Amino acid sequence: MTTSPLAQLAANGVSIWLDDLSRSRIRSGALADLITNRSVSGVTTNPTIFAGALAKGEAYAEQVAQLAAAGATAAEAVFEITTQDVAEACDIFADVYTATKGFDGRVSIEVEPGLAHDTDGTVKQAKELFAKVNRENVMIKIPATKAGLSAITQVIAAGISVNVTLIFSLQRYHEVIEAYISGVEQAKANGHDISKIHSVASFFVSRVDTEIDKRLTQVGTSDALSLKSKAALANARLAYQVYEQDFDNARWSALAAAGANKQRPLMASTGVKDPNLSDTLYVTELVAPELVNTMPEKTMEAVYDHGIVPANSITSKYEEATAVLYAVSAVGVSYDDVTELLETEGVDKFIVSWNELLETVTNALEGAK
């Protein structure tokens, strides 16, 4: 019996989450098939994904008509539609959730991106989304902005599992882990069962190469050009080192003894943007235990078809990764400037997608009247 590269990836400790969701995928049985045939153990969503799903629209026509008849606003309709999709997907993954004791079988839904710099608004909507989906295996996505850090702590403290998104820098990742640990401590003090609280920290990969490679090309020296397509993997590998180090202390050990779960690192934005690179690069070169990789279906199929999966492609490469980031800085590309820009752009792009989603739903509601 042959084992697919995706099954091998899962066997090597990487949880495979699909970075896509739509009602047609849910109701056709295609999502359930991915659990069986592609080793998929979770789903992530974002405003861009929902905008694409609703633009196709046919599967949503009946609900849109009902919402239009009820006089729903576009924002209200988006809330109802997206939470229904996520709840149905949670049900599909319920067995995976039970079998993995909550580590997998997760479906993520994001707070409105316009709240990225509003701590109170983020906390309020996170609680509303959690209550509406009403499934234990939902994760609420909160961006790792400065305002988001406090929101992460407060939402975890309320006993809600969180997917922290839009992490680009190692320094911010340290802060995210601190926000999570503080949240677990507060949740414990609040009387929550902390063994039920899970979190992932979504470290964005391909966008780092896109921006740094652009700047290396502008520098144009042979030293600069030799570093192209290396920074994203280096950054992601060092993120895993942060994960190993920041949960290795007495403070965390006390929580772990009480049943707490580590916040696992998740590799996001793993679709390759540069056609000159291997289409499996950000999957096969990021293999280690307790990792999550959320990938678009195209990337997942590429790995299934021709991925060569090593046992571990991270933990022996910390020294090399550190040298790459040092070299990038040495040729004049500012790591801090790049990661700050990518966070700002990440929020802005999701706001654009959110507005497109609202426009799509507005037009659908009008058309249904």
Side-chain angles (χ1 to χ4, degrees), residues 13-17 40-44 93-108 136-139 161-163 180 194-201 243 252 256 259-266 289-293:
V14 178
S15 296
I16 300 164
W17 291 5
V40 170
S41 58
V43 169
T44 51
F93 281 94
D95 288 347
V96 176
Y97 174 76
T98 302
T100 61
K101 297 183 170 59
F103 281 89
D104 286 317
R106 294 285 180 173
V107 184
S108 297
E136 201 173 84
N137 54 330
V138 70
M139 272 187 167
S161 294
V162 173
N163 176 340
Y180 173 66
I194 60 172
S195 71
K196 291 292 186 79
I197 299 171
H198 288 260
S199 183
V200 293
Y243 163 70
W252 177 255
N261 303 291
K262 289 180 186 176
Q263 179 189 60
R264 291 190 294 162
L266 179 153
E290 300 171 348
L291 195 71
V292 183
N293 193 308

Side-chain angles (χ1 to χ4, degrees), residues 168 204-218 228-233 269 271-275 277 282 333 338 341-342 345 349:
F168 295 96
F204 278 50
V205 183
S206 65
R207 296 184 195 184
V208 173
D209 266 348
T210 300
E211 183 61 31
I212 287 183
D213 285 1
K214 182 173 74 175
R215 297 182 186 210
L216 291 171
T217 300
Q218 288 169 348
K228 287 183 70 174
S229 308
K230 293 181 179 178
L233 287 176
S269 184
V272 173
K273 307 289 195 294
D274 184 343
L277 300 177
Y282 301 130
V333 175
V338 166
L341 174 70
L342 289 173
E345 284 185 348
K349 285 175 181 175

Side-chain angles (χ1 to χ4, degrees), residues 100-259:
T100 61
K101 297 183 170 59
F103 281 89
D104 286 317
R106 294 285 180 173
V107 184
S108 297
I109 185 169
E110 190 153 348
V111 294
E112 185 180 330
L115 298 171
H117 303 295
D118 177 353
T119 300
D120 292 343
T122 295
V123 173
K124 179 174 181 286
Q125 192 174 85
K127 290 178 177 178
E128 290 169 350
L129 288 167
F130 180 74
K132 180 67 176 179
V133 174
N134 195 27
R135 302 292 191 278
E136 201 173 84
N137 54 330
V138 70
M139 272 187 167
I140 309 302
K141 286 178 84 172
I142 297 174
T145 56
K146 283 291 187 184
L149 294 171
S150 178
I152 291 157
T153 297
Q154 291 180 54
V155 174
I156 292 289
I160 297 170
S161 294
V162 173
N163 176 340
V164 183
T165 188
L166 286 176
I167 307 172
F168 295 96
S169 78
L170 298 169
Q171 178 55 40
R172 183 55 54 85
Y173 187 30
H174 284 295
E175 294 168 359
V176 165
I177 293 174
E178 169 60 31
Y180 173 66
I181 293 175
S182 295
V184 175
E185 288 172 335
Q186 292 177 33
K188 184 172 180 286
N190 292 339
H192 291 289
D193 179 357
I194 60 172
S195 71
K196 291 292 186 79
I197 299 171
H198 288 260
S199 183
V200 293
S202 298
F203 218 85
F204 278 50
V205 183
S206 65
R207 296 184 195 184
V208 173
D209 266 348
T210 300
E211 183 61 31
I212 287 183
D213 285 1
K214 182 173 74 175
R215 297 182 186 210
L216 291 171
T217 300
Q218 288 169 348
V219 173
T221 63
S222 58
D223 283 349
L225 296 176
S226 72
L227 294 166
K228 287 183 70 174
S229 308
K230 293 181 179 178
L233 287 176
N235 198 40
R237 286 167 173 160
L238 292 176
Y240 193 85
Q241 184 181 41
V242 169
Y243 163 70
E244 290 185 316
Q245 292 172 344
D246 285 15
F247 285 101
D248 184 17
N249 54 62
R251 182 184 175 201
W252 177 255
S253 295
L255 289 170

Side-chain angles (χ1 to χ4, degrees), residues 2-14 16 39 287 303 307-311:
T2 57
T3 301
S4 78
L6 289 173
Q8 188 61 52
L9 189 65
N12 292 353
V14 178
I16 300 164
S39 305
V287 180
V303 176
I308 299 171
V309 179

